[in-house]
Amino acid sequence: MPASDIRRSELAAFLRHRREHLTPEQVGLPHGRRRRTPGLRREEVAQLSAVGVTWYTWLEQARDIQVSVQVLDALARALLLDVSERAHLFNLAGAIDPAPGAHCPSVTEAQRALLEQLEPIPACIQNSRYDILAHNRTYGLLLCDLDAIAPADRNCMVLCYTNPDWQASIVLLEETMRLMAAKFRAAMAGHLGEPAWKMLLKRLSAESAAFREAWERHEVVSARSKRKQFRNAHVGLLTLDHTDLWLGPHDGPRMVTYAPADAGSRAGLERLLSVALERERERVAV
């Protein structure tokens, strides 16, 4: 049997197994009275993934059909796959997972150590798509509780336009939203054909009217350093100087830092680090 046929058969078996081991209640569907098969029905998975029932049936029958990364992403979400299962799904399909954090070769142990050494200065490592690939403890509490956010949602564009805690922390929110859309448009110019970028644009357009309005302005702004103010939930107002430290070619991965602009903000960051350390101790004690 050709390797492609084996791969399709394994993919079909994996999807069937995962579908049969999910209950309707787990995915927010009513159980119903006349349910003869275990787990979810094929039409339910198709509905949750926004794909055709016939097309999904063919996929479970190991037919030779093309599967886009967008569909694989939707199936992974619908079937509640964990990180390992998601990676397995994409491997079987012979596709590259575009999800944030799925491939982070640019983040080394030395860079993670540097993030920690910078504390209490908030710092993170982002790629050009604004995925947060790594962060230190003060950055983790700067705009929201980042550790409570699913890794797939740790993206500055998504958080800026959809997360209430993140939005409440930004003093000049409307200006920031407009600037972020302009920066994203400039960055996307070199990635127009890449699935991960198109998926992010589609998600932002679907979930945020503010993004759609800002996007339609067709404004373009390059990345630049800027003084910013944050209304932190734990320590109050912080005035910080944003700086991008490029880790490779410009417009690639970068370390983003927020140095205090005054003595009050430095003291605030030290208090914020204390809060983060206390939370860390509480998690270890549990």
Side-chain angles (χ1 to χ4, degrees), residues 68-93:
S68 69
V69 294
Q70 291 91 338
V71 168
L72 291 171
D73 176 74
L75 287 172
R77 293 174 185 272
L79 296 171
L80 305 181
L81 302 188
D82 62 22
V83 174
S84 298
E85 291 168 334
R86 181 185 174 99
H88 185 62
L89 173 71
F90 276 83
N91 284 336
L92 289 176

Side-chain angles (χ1 to χ4, degrees), residues 242-264:
H242 162 267
T243 302
D244 286 325
L245 305 174
W246 300 97
L247 303 178
H250 197 270
D251 294 332
R254 61 192 180 276
M255 184 174 292
V256 180
T257 64
Y258 289 94
D262 51 53

Side-chain angles (χ1 to χ4, degrees), residues 3-281:
S4 58
D5 291 349
I6 296 174
R7 189 180 293 273
R8 286 197 303 273
S9 296
E10 287 292 323
L11 175 61
F14 178 67
L15 290 173
R16 284 196 303 273
H17 181 274
R18 194 69 185 94
R19 171 174 62 81
E20 291 170 356
H21 285 77
L22 277 180
T23 66
E25 291 81 2
Q26 284 178 282
V27 295
L29 295 175
H31 188 279
R33 295 182 178 179
R34 298 182 178 179
R35 184 171 293 272
R36 299 176 181 176
T37 58
L40 299 177
R41 301 186 179 100
R42 284 174 174 171
E43 56 266 31
E44 290 171 331
V45 175
Q47 175 188 346
L48 291 168
S49 307
V51 299
V53 177
T54 300
W55 186 92
Y56 179 75
T57 300
W58 287 349
L59 193 59
E60 281 202 5
Q61 292 173 344
R63 296 202 187 188
D64 188 5
I65 57 177
Q66 295 297 317
V67 188
S68 69
V69 294
Q70 291 91 338
V71 168
L72 291 171
D73 176 74
L75 287 172
R77 293 174 185 272
L79 296 171
L80 305 181
L81 302 188
D82 62 22
V83 174
S84 298
E85 291 168 334
R86 181 185 174 99
H88 185 62
L89 173 71
F90 276 83
N91 284 336
L92 289 176
I96 297 176
D97 188 352
H103 306 278
C104 305
S106 60
V107 182
T108 66
E109 289 304 314
Q111 290 165 352
R112 293 182 188 277
L114 182 56
L115 288 174
E116 185 174 343
Q117 289 297 314
L118 284 171
E119 292 173 341
I121 292 176
C124 70
I125 293 177
Q126 298 178 13
N127 60 18
S128 56
R129 202 170 57 239
Y130 295 95
D131 298 323
I132 301 170
L133 307 180
H135 64 278
N136 64 13
R137 289 167 290 199
T138 36
Y139 185 88
L141 290 180
L142 180 62
L143 292 109
C144 69
D145 184 357
L146 196 56
D147 289 336
I149 304 295
D153 295 330
R154 293 178 192 171
N155 174 281
C156 292
M157 294 295 301
V158 171
L159 293 168
C160 182
Y161 282 99
T162 67
N163 185 280
D165 293 336
W166 189 282
Q167 292 172 342
S169 297
I170 300 175
V171 172
L172 300 176
L173 179 59
E174 185 175 343
E175 176 185 324
T176 299
M177 284 182 164
R178 183 173 175 178
L179 180 63
M180 288 292 288
K183 291 167 67 177
F184 183 66
R185 182 179 286 279
M188 190 172 180
H191 306 273
L192 293 175
E194 296 180 22
W197 288 77
K198 293 191 291 186
M199 286 174 60
L200 179 55
L201 177 60
K202 182 178 180 180
R203 177 180 180 181
L204 290 166
S205 300
E207 296 183 10
S208 172
F211 174 80
R212 293 194 298 272
E213 181 180 349
W215 189 251
E216 288 304 314
R217 293 176 180 270
H218 287 267
E219 295 176 331
V220 177
V221 175
S222 59
R224 59 178 184 234
S225 299
K226 185 180 180 181
R227 178 161 292 183
K228 299 182 179 182
Q229 285 192 313
F230 301 102
R231 194 178 295 107
N232 184 265
H234 303 281
V235 301
L237 186 66
L238 296 169
T239 303
L240 308 176
D241 289 325
H242 162 267
T243 302
D244 286 325
L245 305 174
W246 300 97
L247 303 178
H250 197 270
D251 294 332
R254 61 192 180 276
M255 184 174 292
V256 180
T257 64
Y258 289 94
D262 51 53
S265 295
R266 173 167 287 280
L269 289 180
E270 291 172 350
R271 295 197 304 274
L272 186 58
L273 177 58
S274 296
V275 173
L277 290 172
E278 180 60 29
R279 287 193 169 195
E280 189 175 72
R281 285 191 291 268

